[in-house]
């Protein structure tokens, strides 16, 4: 599946950005799902089915007629489209003109930083991009809602004049995994996570074990001191240890156990390996509560197949459950927008770790 943001990075082909603005009841995708439609292609998905077919038709009609204004369309999935979801979905359609092109260019450079798009759904085109401090980054300056709530995610806001605005957070992935081990299972896990909303730091002593081509969300670290990447990991980050050496696994486990603000920790191995590590950790003075939180064996219960691809699928599912629970608790602070005549100084793109 081609990504809505990057697939047309160097393409001037006319397109329409389609965003799920609001979902009432059950829908095929959540608010914030996006796709771009050209006359010849569709990039990404808003859930498939008749809804997506109608959205593509509307977008291509807009392209054919040279539409320049955004609009919001309501779709009752059951009565009008015959989809079993049965809810109501509102889709925002935005012709990608010069102003939105500038936003998308900035968003591509800021994929590791949070940004907020605010686009008019009524009247003359007006679309702006802001950083987390509410400073204007790109797009045409204009009137925008003074405040909106982060906890609502993507939504439609109305200003004091009755004009509707799409408020669309484009957030950097919150989930981070530090993965120790570039063997067959480690490589399979990297492939499984390639298109998921996370960032991965992949650590191994053996530089020749890393593939030549890496997913966009992966940074590698070939190092003789892998323990340092335990300390460098972000607060609340996840850890997965599966190196070629039990002794190294032990050292890394001890470092993770000693780390403050460490998140989920998985260790590859059998129940026997877990017992051995438990005894060693207890001898080091690690608390029983911390040891109990260690996930070993890894993977979803009931999946016994030990093929690397199967382990990777099982662990990816396990991680997604952890990450979605964490994401549900984020973004509870209102953000005030500040209009400005010039963009603020762009924050340099954060490097996860040296690669």
């Amino acid at each position: 599946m081609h990504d809505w943001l990057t697939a047309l990075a160097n393409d001037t082909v006319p397109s329409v950005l389609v965003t799920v603005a609001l979902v009432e009841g059950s829908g095929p995708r959540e608010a914030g799902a996006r796709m771009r439609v050209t006359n010849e292609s569709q990039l990404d998905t808003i859930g498939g089915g008749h809804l997506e077919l109608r959205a593509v038709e509307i977008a291509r009609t807009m392209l054919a007629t040279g539409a320049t204004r955004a609009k919001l369309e309501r779709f009752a999935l059951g009565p009008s489209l015959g989809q079993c979801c049965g809810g109501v979905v509102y889709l925002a359609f935005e012709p990608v003109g010069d102003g939105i092109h500038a936003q998308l260019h900035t968003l591509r450079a800021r994929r590791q930083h949070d940004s907020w798009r605010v686009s008019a759904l009524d009247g003359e085109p007006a679309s702006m991009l802001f950083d987390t401090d509410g400073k204007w980054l790109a797009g045409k300056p204009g009137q925008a809602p003074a405040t909106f709530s982060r906890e609502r995610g993507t939504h439609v806001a109305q200003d004091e004049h009755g004009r509707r605005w799409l408020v669309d957070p484009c957030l950097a992935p919150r989930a981070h995994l530090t993965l120790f081990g570039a063997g067959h299972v480690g490589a399979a896990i990297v492939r499984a996570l390639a298109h998921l909303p996370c960032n991965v730091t992949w650590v191994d002593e053996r530089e020749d074990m890393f593939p030549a081509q890496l997913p966009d969300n992966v940074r590698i670290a070939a190092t003789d001191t892998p323990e340092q990447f335990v300390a460098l990991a972000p607060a609340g980050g996840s850890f997965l240890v599966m190196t070629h050496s039990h002794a190294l696994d032990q050292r890394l486990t001890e470092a993770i156990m000693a780390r403050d603000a460490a998140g989920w920790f998985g260790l590859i191995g059998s129940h026997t390996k877990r017992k051995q590590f438990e005894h060693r950790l207890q001898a080091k003075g690690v608390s029983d509560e911390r040891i109990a939180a260690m996930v070993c064996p890894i993977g979803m219960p009931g999946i016994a197949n030990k093929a690397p691809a199967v382990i990777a699928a099982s662990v990816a599912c396990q991680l997604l459950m952890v990450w979605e629970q964490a994401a549900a608790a984020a973004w509870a602070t209102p953000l005030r927008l500040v209009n400005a005549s010039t963009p603020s100084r762009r924050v340099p793109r954060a490097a996860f770790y040296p690669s």
Side-chain angles (χ1 to χ4, degrees):
M1 178 61 64
H2 296 293
D3 182 86
W4 70 275
L5 181 59
T6 60
L8 293 178
N10 299 310
D11 198 341
T12 58
V13 174
S15 65
V16 172
L17 175 60
V18 183
T19 303
V20 179
L22 180 67
V23 180
E24 296 174 347
S26 178
R29 288 290 305 274
E30 70 287 352
R34 311 171 188 89
M35 69 177 182
R36 287 175 72 184
V37 179
T38 73
N39 283 317
E40 304 295 334
S41 63
Q42 171 192 332
L43 309 165
D44 230 316
T45 179
I46 56 167
H50 199 182
L51 173 67
E52 188 161 289
L53 179 64
R54 284 288 297 125
V56 170
E57 291 173 349
I58 292 170
R60 288 183 175 154
T61 298
M62 293 174 71
L63 290 170
T65 59
T68 58
R69 294 187 178 189
K71 63 179 181 178
L72 185 69
E73 295 281 349
R74 179 184 184 274
F75 300 87
L77 300 181
S80 63
L81 297 179
Q83 292 192 208
C84 60
C85 297
V88 176
V89 175
Y90 293 79
L91 298 181
F93 295 83
E94 299 176 80
V96 180
D98 291 342
I100 294 182
H101 268 303
Q103 290 185 36
L104 300 183
H105 176 77
T106 303
L107 279 174
R108 284 191 288 270
R110 288 178 53 84
R111 293 204 82 169
Q112 305 308 324
H113 300 279
D114 294 335
S115 305
W116 298 76
R117 295 185 61 246
V118 182
S119 293
L121 297 172
D122 305 307
E124 292 297 320
S127 185
M128 291 142 282
L129 184 71
F130 300 89
D131 67 12
T132 52
D133 294 323
K135 299 293 182 63
W136 174 60
L137 295 171
K140 184 178 180 181
Q143 297 297 318
T147 60
F148 60 86
S149 297
R150 291 182 182 183
E151 68 269 18
R152 293 190 62 187
T154 299
H155 64 282
V156 176
Q158 194 170 43
D159 63 22
E160 63 273 19
H161 305 294
R163 193 179 192 187
R164 294 175 301 174
W165 297 83
L166 174 68
V167 179
D168 186 24
C170 300
L171 305 181
R174 290 304 189 264
H176 185 277
L177 174 68
T178 304
L179 170 61
F180 296 96
H184 295 298
V185 178
I189 287 173
V190 165
R191 292 192 293 270
L193 299 179
H195 300 291
L196 299 183
C198 65
N199 291 311
V200 180
T201 297
W202 195 9
V203 185
D204 200 290
E205 298 167 301
R206 305 159 296 172
E207 188 168 3
D208 60 343
M209 294 293 291
F210 295 112
Q213 299 296 321
L214 292 169
D216 290 339
N217 64 341
V218 176
R219 301 292 181 270
I220 63 171
T223 175
D224 292 329
T225 55
E227 294 94 330
Q228 68 177 311
F229 287 89
V230 174
L232 289 171
S238 303
F239 296 93
L240 191 53
V241 173
M242 47 180 60
T243 77
H244 60 289
S245 163
H246 275 214
L248 178 56
D249 285 356
Q250 178 73 37
R251 298 204 312 269
L252 289 167
T253 297
E254 292 174 5
I256 293 167
M257 291 291 181
R259 162 76 198 263
D260 290 332
W264 183 90
F265 165 44
L267 171 68
I268 197 169
S270 63
H271 289 286
T272 300
K273 181 177 179 179
R274 180 186 181 94
K275 290 297 183 184
Q276 292 174 346
F277 274 52
E278 284 181 349
H279 292 314
R280 295 169 185 171
L281 292 169
Q282 288 168 348
K284 294 279 187 178
V286 178
S287 71
D288 290 341
E289 181 182 10
R290 190 73 185 94
I291 294 172
M294 178 178 68
V295 178
C296 179
I298 55 174
M300 299 299 292
I303 298 178
N305 191 314
K306 295 182 180 180
V310 175
I311 296 174
S314 180
V315 171
C317 181
Q318 196 171 28
L319 285 167
L320 280 174
M321 293 174 66
V322 171
W323 293 338
E324 289 203 357
Q325 288 174 1
W331 300 108
T333 305
L335 174 67
R336 180 169 185 81
L337 295 180
V338 178
N339 287 320
S341 58
T342 57
S344 62
R345 182 174 62 84
R346 186 163 69 92
V347 178
R349 185 176 184 274
F352 300 117
Y353 303 113
S355 61

